[in-house]
Amino acid sequence: MKISPITATVRYMRQSKLFGKTRKEKPSDEIAKNAILLEQGGFIYKTMAGVYDYLPLGFRVLERINAIIREEMNAIGGQELFLSALQPRERWEKTGRWEKLKDIMYQFKDNSGHDVGLATTHEEALARIATHSIQSYKDLPLFVYQIQTKFRDEPRAKSGLMRGREFLMKDLYSFHTSKESLNEFYEIAGKAYERIFERCNLTSYKTEAGGGTFTNDITHEYQVLSEAGEDTIFYCEQCGCAQNKEIANIKEGDACSSCKAKIKVGKSIEVGNIFRLGTVFSETFNLLYSDEKGQKHPVWMGSYGIGPGRLLATIVEVFSDEKGIRWPSSVAPFQTHLISIPGNDLMVEKKAEEFYATLNDKNISVLFDDRKEKSPGEKFADADLIGIPLRIVISSKTLKENAIEIKKRDEEKTKNIPYDDIKTIISYVQ
Ligand SMILES: [Zn+2]
C-alpha cells in the first residue's frame, strides 16, 4: 500500500501551541460519534448545525485524504479544476433543476436583482463550460475533477460531518464519444474509487443502486458497513457483491448468485457514487462533437462523487473505541505523538526536546505534548482521544534505563526500546 505524503508543510508541532484544544466534556448538542470525537479531540469546530470548521489537526487529516484522492484521480487521467460555487439561475433552469432542487439548494437574489444559487453539484456548469473545450472526436475522452465546497440546505443535519449543509465534494466528470467509451471508463473510475477507500483502510462494497433522475441504467454506490450509516445493503462477504435495499431483489440468507455464499444485511455509509449520465446534459447544453465525417453528436457524460469530509467521518466511525479515535497511518494527522512526563526532572525535558529534534531530522512527523500543566493521566487520555498511531513516552522512569516507551494506539501493551533506537520507530511508522 502506498502511503501518501503529509502534504502540509509542517511536519512537527508543539501541543502547547496547538490551535484547537481537547475537551473532557462531550458536546451536548451532538449525537453522531464522529462529531463528538472530532470536536472533543480539537479536530473541528461546530459553527452551526451541519456546518463545521476544520482546525489544524482536522485539516491535516482532510489534506491527507485529499492527497490520496488526487493521486488516484490523476492516475486515471483526471485534470483538476475548481469551479465557482455561486451559480446563475439560467443554467439550472435549462435542466429543470432550479425548481426540482429548490428545497435543498440555497437560492437568493443578489443586489442587482438576479437570481443566483449555491451549487449542490456541477453537471450543469461542466456541460456548459465543456462546449468551449470539446468540438471534435479528437478532443475525447476527457476527464476533469475538482475538490470543491458544495451547499445543501439539509433539514436533518444531525450526523456530524456525514451530512453537512456546507461540505467538500470531490466530483469527477467524464466526456466520451460513445456509450462504450463511457462504460469502459465507468469501470476504471470504479477501480480508482476502490483503491481510494482501501488506502483509507476501509472495506467498501460496490453496491447496485437506483438511477436517480438521470438514467435508467444501474448506478453504483460505494458503501462501508457501519451502524452509523443511513443506508441498508444486502451484501456478500465472499465476493463483495452488494445491492442497496431500495432496489434489492435479494434478501438476507439468500445464496449469492455468483459465489453461493449466504447474503448478509447491514447498515452502511455511502462514501462514493458513480453515475452514467448519458447524453441528457449534453443535449440540454448543446455539447456536441463532430465525428470523422463531420457529423455532430451529443457527448456522453459520467459523473463520480466522493465527499472527503464524509470519508473522514466514516473513518472515525469505523476506527474508534471508547477512548477515542484510532487513525489508520495513511491519514493520521501525525505519525507519532511524543509525550514528555517531566515531573521535577529537568533531564526529561532536555531529552524530550532532543528526541523531538531527532524525529524532525528523520522526517518523522510528530505532535509533541510538551504541556507543563497537564498530568500524565490527562496526557495519556488526550493521546488516546486524538488517536495518532504511535505514542512515544519519555519520563524519569524510562530515562533511568536510557529508554523510551512506545505504544501503538490500537494495542494495549507498551514496550521500552533504547533511547537512540530510531530504526525501530521508523519501522513502526512505515
Ligand atoms: Zn458472493
Side-chain angles (χ1 to χ4, degrees):
M1 186 166 61
K2 280 189 287 182
I3 300 291
S4 76
I6 290 182
T7 52
T9 49
V10 178
R11 288 191 161 271
Y12 44 89
M13 196 176 281
R14 285 175 190 277
Q15 212 167 335
S16 59
K17 300 273 186 272
L18 181 62
F19 186 89
K21 303 289 180 217
T22 55
R23 43 178 159 137
K24 281 201 189 101
E25 302 306 320
K26 285 188 177 25
S28 56
D29 57 344
E30 296 284 6
I31 46 173
K33 184 164 75 171
N34 69 84
I36 292 171
L37 290 176
L38 289 166
E39 282 180 53
Q40 271 194 290
F43 290 84
I44 59 171
Y45 182 85
K46 184 183 197 173
T47 280
M48 51 182 161
V51 181
Y52 294 89
D53 304 293
Y54 288 91
L55 305 182
L57 276 186
F59 190 58
R60 288 179 75 92
V61 177
L62 185 68
E63 283 291 281
R64 294 199 75 193
I65 290 171
N66 287 343
I68 291 173
I69 292 174
R70 284 196 170 96
E71 281 177 18
E72 296 297 342
M73 290 297 101
N74 295 343
I76 59 171
Q79 301 178 41
E80 188 168 4
L81 43 65
F82 190 86
L83 304 184
S84 67
L86 195 59
Q87 297 275 316
R89 173 176 181 160
E90 294 71 30
R91 213 176 250 181
W92 295 75
E93 283 285 352
K94 277 185 173 293
T95 54
R97 289 214 283 186
W98 183 264
E99 182 61 26
K100 216 179 267 173
L101 294 177
K102 73 176 193 304
D103 290 340
I104 57 157
M105 187 174 180
Y106 287 96
Q107 301 177 338
F108 45 95
K109 280 191 195 305
D110 65 14
N111 282 342
S112 36
H114 295 121
D115 285 318
V116 290
L118 295 175
T120 54
T121 174
H122 278 91
E123 282 86 6
E124 279 83 353
L126 246 317
R128 157 68 74 223
I129 298 165
T131 57
H132 296 282
S133 280
I134 298 171
Q135 273 100 41
S136 151
Y137 70 96
K138 290 175 192 158
D139 298 324
L140 297 168
L142 260 186
F143 320 112
V144 295
Y145 76 97
Q146 59 178 346
I147 297 176
Q148 193 261 7
T149 306
K150 302 273 192 284
F151 297 86
R152 284 173 75 100
D153 196 353
E154 283 289 348
R156 49 186 181 122
K158 287 179 194 148
S159 310
L161 288 184
M162 216 103 83
R163 185 177 283 281
R165 295 198 287 154
E166 175 180 336
F167 57 98
L168 275 186
M169 181 67 108
K170 187 289 300 172
D171 37 347
L172 165 71
Y173 302 86
S174 70
F175 302 90
H176 308 266
T177 53
S178 66
K179 191 174 185 174
E180 291 68 36
S181 168
L182 169 60
N183 283 341
E184 197 183 315
F185 185 75
Y186 187 80
E187 293 302 319
I188 291 170
K191 289 273 177 287
Y193 271 35
E194 281 162 28
R195 285 193 296 276
I196 290 167
F197 304 130
E198 213 176 278
R199 289 177 66 182
C200 293
N201 269 30
L202 295 170
T203 303
S204 67
Y205 285 89
K206 184 178 180 181
T207 305
E208 290 179 14
T213 45
F214 317 120
T215 169
N216 296 322
D217 271 344
I218 289 271
T219 68
H220 291 92
E221 298 165 344
Y222 287 84
Q223 298 275 0
V224 171
L225 291 171
S226 165
E227 276 308 306
E230 294 175 345
D231 286 291
T232 301
I233 61 168
F234 294 104
Y235 64 99
C236 171
E237 259 175 342
Q238 187 108 356
C239 71
C241 72
Q243 287 184 340
N244 194 309
K245 189 183 174 190
E246 286 169 4
I247 59 132
N249 53 27
I250 49 174
K251 59 182 194 305
E252 193 179 7
D254 280 359
C256 170
S257 59
S258 24
C259 77
K260 305 296 168 218
K262 276 228 162 37
I263 294 292
K264 294 186 169 184
V265 65
K267 289 180 83 176
S268 61
I269 302 169
E270 182 187 342
V271 288
N273 52 43
I274 55 180
F275 284 101
R276 285 175 279 226
L277 301 172
T279 56
V280 180
F281 287 92
S282 43
E283 280 167 25
T284 306
F285 287 95
N286 218 22
L287 173 60
L288 308 173
Y289 75 93
S290 322
D291 64 16
E292 288 95 328
K293 294 176 191 134
Q295 279 182 330
K296 289 191 187 299
H297 308 275
V299 170
W300 289 79
M301 284 176 66
S303 77
Y304 317 80
I306 292 180
R310 179 184 285 202
L311 193 49
L312 188 154
T314 304
I315 293 169
V316 174
E317 293 286 346
V318 173
F319 298 105
S320 54
D321 55 26
E322 65 292 340
K323 293 175 184 163
I325 305 169
R326 296 183 289 119
W327 294 110
S329 59
S330 58
V331 300
F334 292 92
Q335 290 163 294
T336 60
H337 198 165
L338 174 64
I339 296 174
S340 71
I341 310 287
N344 297 319
D345 190 343
L346 288 177
M347 191 46 102
V348 173
E349 215 165 299
K350 183 168 171 279
K351 291 297 240 181
E353 288 288 343
E354 269 177 35
F355 202 81
Y356 181 49
T358 305
L359 290 172
N360 294 340
D361 284 347
K362 300 290 177 191
N363 284 333
I364 299 167
S365 65
V366 51
L367 178 64
F368 178 24
D369 192 348
D370 59 337
R371 296 173 299 173
K372 298 200 193 311
E373 73 287 1
K374 297 283 179 191
S375 71
E378 287 172 309
K379 289 189 172 194
F380 294 149
D382 277 356
D384 283 339
L385 175 60
I386 292 171
I388 291 167
L390 188 67
R391 187 182 87 181
I392 304 170
V393 176
I394 298 184
S395 67
S396 304
K397 212 171 94 191
T398 68
L399 284 184
K400 270 187 197 123
E401 301 171 34
N402 194 29
I404 54 174
E405 180 201 274
I406 58 173
K407 178 186 165 301
K408 285 188 173 178
R409 173 62 181 88
D410 55 5
E411 287 175 8
E412 280 307 314
K413 62 172 197 298
T414 61
K415 180 172 145 186
N416 281 12
I417 62 168
Y419 176 85
D420 51 9
D421 185 5
I422 284 292
K423 274 198 182 134
T424 297
I425 303 279
I426 291 173
S427 75
Y428 269 86
V429 298
Q430 267 165 355

